[in-house]
Amino acid sequence: MVSASRPDPTRTASAAAPPPECPAHARFGDPAGLARLLGPEASEDPMGLYEQLRAKHGPVAPVLLDGDLPAWLVLGYREILEVAGTPTRFSRDSRTWRWFREGKVPPDSPLLPMIAWQPVCLFLDGAERDRLRLAVTDSLERFNRRGIRRQITRFTHQLVDGFAARGEADLVSEFSERLPMLVLTQLLGMPDEYGPRLVEASRDMVAGTETSVASNEFIVETLQQLVRRKRGNPGHDITSWLIEHSSMLTDEEVWNHLRVILIAANETTVNLIKSTLRMVLTDPRCHASLAGGQMTLPDVVEQVLWSEPPLMTIPGRWASVDTEVGGQKVEAGDMLLLGLAAGNHDPAVRPDPTVPLHGNRSHLAFSSGPQECPGQNIGRAITDTGIDTLLARLPDVSLAVPEEQLAWKSGWMTRHLISLPVTFTPPGQRTAGTRAAAAVTSGTPIGTVGETEGPALSGTASPSSLAVLPAVPPSAAPAPKKRGRWWYALRKWLRG
């Protein structure tokens, strides 16, 4: 979904931005009048900006990127499907971008880690793309479904153990931003200790900061070392399977695809966990639907994918011919960004955004067409299994601040929570009644959450996979905080 490795220096030799007399600026209009996707307006209220652009320009709007480089932002649901599904008109090969060809992109541009061409399926079309994508999809599908969920559960317990005794935590820094990378390092065949630094580097790179190029270099060097090691000592992991696949990937192709998997899966899953936790903790409609049995936790995840997709915008396509989309004349060499969040809220297909979309997976959160994210179900599994296990361990968890005090941070591709402070009763202080709220009739022991057969990576895991907590003797500690009525209703439903 997102990607790029070291930029091609032959295509980024000049640091000059397009001058005011640039033909593209004349065609797009006065640069001063175009919205900047890295500006304060986009950072403070990206959805509001998208709706302003939709009202002014329709489903396709001209915008400016870093360095005042112009591009088209595709806002319409149908138009996104058209662009994503028509490779004959809209190529994935970023080398066709006119500003690369004309040397207008500076070598330190924060855009480069995400759009500079590399030999991966996300930047190719035709038979070569099919060869590389087959290697990726085959490797991702080789994992045992139950085995992945066991890893997710194991790491969730480790993280919760780190803060459970305090009775408070920040579920962003202490959980959401750590769990996906811990799982991914296992899937790629890396030691656990690689996780923290890779988390920092990947988020910095996607955010497009001044140090994003250096963060990208660190990730590349780490993955190159991993590929060299796995060549001589293969294992049961994605790296080894890519190396041995019949598509005969080169080392460069292997580590580039590992980078795609690592960055895309981590960024999207971190944001998905944050947003799902926020919805579970704050949205009364979510509470009522869960308690009444109208929704399961995987249903909540799908609702979040509609309302708050992990990636708001992705650098999607480059026009290979002069064409038209959404009423705009697009010239060969123009960049088109896919506005996934805007497309999910397109009034043409979703006139009432308050109507629940239970079971509807036609959202654009994982893009669409030939380049739809092949690892999306791993992200779903990490999210619903991780949150399911967390809620089992902390049955009375609640938000520690008013919802309106939650802070967000936005980049040109993402919008995510900065923190999610919560409080709960520490395990050692729970009464028998509190422990019973976390139990289900199956009596599944702790540490085996999600180990039942079923479509484990399909996003339809059972909502009753909550674990029984270890027995704790009666305590003289203060009584736990009063739980909301929805938790009691949910417990009744789970036990019923």
Side-chain angles (χ1 to χ4, degrees):
M1 181 178 294
V2 293
S3 168
S5 60
R6 292 187 174 108
D8 182 346
T10 64
R11 298 189 180 275
T12 59
S14 172
E21 66 274 11
C22 169
H25 279 169
R27 180 163 55 87
F28 280 77
D30 181 4
L34 296 185
R36 287 173 167 80
L37 291 191
L38 284 173
E41 187 176 10
S43 178
E44 293 172 7
D45 184 16
M47 289 305 303
L49 174 62
Y50 299 154
E51 293 311 311
Q52 291 176 26
L53 291 173
R54 197 195 309 273
K56 182 176 180 180
H57 301 284
V60 179
V63 295
L64 294 176
L65 300 175
D66 185 76
D68 279 359
L69 298 174
W72 296 104
L73 177 60
V74 187
L75 303 162
Y77 183 96
R78 294 186 179 93
E79 287 73 19
I80 290 175
L81 294 181
E82 177 184 353
V83 172
T86 317
T88 54
R89 294 162 56 203
F90 305 102
S91 171
R92 284 305 306 252
D93 192 336
S94 64
R95 293 172 296 185
T96 63
W97 192 24
R98 67 173 72 248
W99 308 122
F100 275 153
R101 296 200 310 266
E102 297 178 14
K104 302 295 186 182
V105 185
D108 59 349
S109 169
L111 302 174
L112 286 178
M114 307 309 299
I115 64 174
W117 186 88
Q118 63 170 309
V120 297
C121 57
L122 296 186
F123 285 93
L124 293 167
D125 302 303
E128 187 64 5
R129 183 206 75 90
D130 294 342
R131 176 183 73 90
L132 295 173
R133 185 176 172 88
L134 179 64
V136 173
T137 55
D138 284 352
S139 298
L140 291 174
E141 290 172 359
R142 287 185 62 175
F143 278 107
N144 176 274
R145 297 173 303 178
R146 290 167 55 187
I148 290 180
R149 289 195 180 270
R150 281 196 295 269
Q151 293 285 0
I152 299 166
T153 303
R154 176 170 72 91
F155 285 123
T156 298
H157 284 305
Q158 287 183 8
L159 292 174
V160 173
D161 286 344
F163 56 75
R166 300 202 318 260
E168 62 180 13
D170 180 357
L171 293 184
V172 167
S173 62
E174 296 183 87
F175 182 73
S176 303
E177 291 185 346
R178 299 180 63 187
L179 178 62
M181 190 62 78
L182 289 172
V183 177
L184 290 169
T185 53
Q186 288 290 304
L187 300 186
L188 268 61
M190 295 180 173
D192 293 354
E193 57 266 23
Y194 278 51
R197 179 70 191 278
L198 287 171
V199 168
E200 179 183 350
S202 64
R203 296 196 66 81
D204 180 66
M205 196 190 74
V206 174
T209 69
E210 293 180 354
T211 57
S212 60
V213 173
S215 294
N216 180 62
E217 289 294 324
F218 167 75
I219 293 171
V220 168
E221 291 173 5
T222 300
L223 294 175
Q224 286 176 334
Q225 294 174 10
L226 175 64
V227 173
R228 287 195 295 267
R229 186 167 65 251
K230 289 296 180 179
R231 280 284 185 190
N233 186 26
H236 188 76
D237 52 66
I238 293 176
T239 305
S240 301
W241 295 334
L242 284 175
I243 291 172
E244 66 186 36
H245 195 270
S246 59
S247 294
M248 303 295 291
L249 275 64
T250 65
D251 280 6
E252 183 182 16
E253 290 171 336
V254 172
W255 64 254
N256 269 298
H257 281 90
L258 292 176
R259 181 185 171 283
V260 172
I261 295 169
L262 189 73
I263 302 303
N266 181 71
E267 181 68 19
T268 56
T269 308
V270 165
N271 289 342
L272 183 56
I273 293 174
K274 291 178 183 179
S275 295
T276 304
L277 279 170
R278 186 194 63 80
M279 179 175 284
V280 168
L281 292 172
T282 64
D283 192 327
R285 294 171 302 173
C286 174
H287 296 171
S289 296
L290 279 171
Q294 292 90 8
M295 293 179 73
T296 65
L297 189 53
D299 289 331
V300 177
V301 172
E302 295 305 316
Q303 186 67 43
V304 170
L305 289 169
W306 271 103
S307 303
E308 299 176 18
L311 295 178
M312 305 283 283
T313 300
I314 61 173
R317 305 294 187 272
W318 287 266
S320 52
V321 296
D322 291 347
T323 186
E324 182 175 323
V325 60
Q328 300 282 13
K329 295 187 180 299
V330 177
E331 295 186 1
D334 284 357
M335 180 197 287
L336 296 99
L337 309 172
L338 304 186
L340 305 181
N344 278 354
H345 288 80
D346 186 348
V349 296
R350 194 180 172 194
D352 185 356
T354 65
V355 174
L357 296 164
H358 301 169
N360 188 334
R361 286 195 175 192
S362 59
H363 54 72
L364 301 170
F366 296 108
S367 189
S368 181
Q371 298 286 11
E372 186 173 8
C373 177
Q376 58 186 273
N377 285 332
I378 291 179
R380 284 186 173 100
I382 295 173
T383 300
D384 68 61
T385 302
I387 293 177
D388 199 18
T389 308
L390 174 76
L391 296 180
R393 292 287 305 275
L394 311 174
D396 63 343
V397 64
S398 61
L399 197 62
V401 299
E403 183 181 359
E404 56 270 20
Q405 292 184 14
L406 296 177
W408 301 78
K409 182 178 181 180
S410 298
W412 70 294
M413 292 176 59
T414 63
R415 179 176 184 264
H416 54 87
L417 278 171
I418 296 176
S419 66
L420 191 62
V422 296
T423 58
F424 48 86
T425 304
Q429 299 178 20
R430 292 178 190 157
T431 66
T434 311
R435 295 196 302 275
V440 293
T441 54
S442 62
T444 306
I446 197 166
T448 59
V449 175
E451 291 187 28
T452 56
E453 275 294 352
L457 297 186
S458 67
T460 58
S462 167
S464 59
S465 59
L466 302 183
V468 176
L469 291 168
V472 180
S475 171
K481 297 180 181 178
K482 183 178 180 180
R483 292 187 297 278
R485 294 176 58 190
W486 75 278
W487 266 118
Y488 290 99
L490 177 59
R491 179 189 65 178
K492 180 179 179 181
W493 170 62
L494 290 174
R495 295 177 63 123

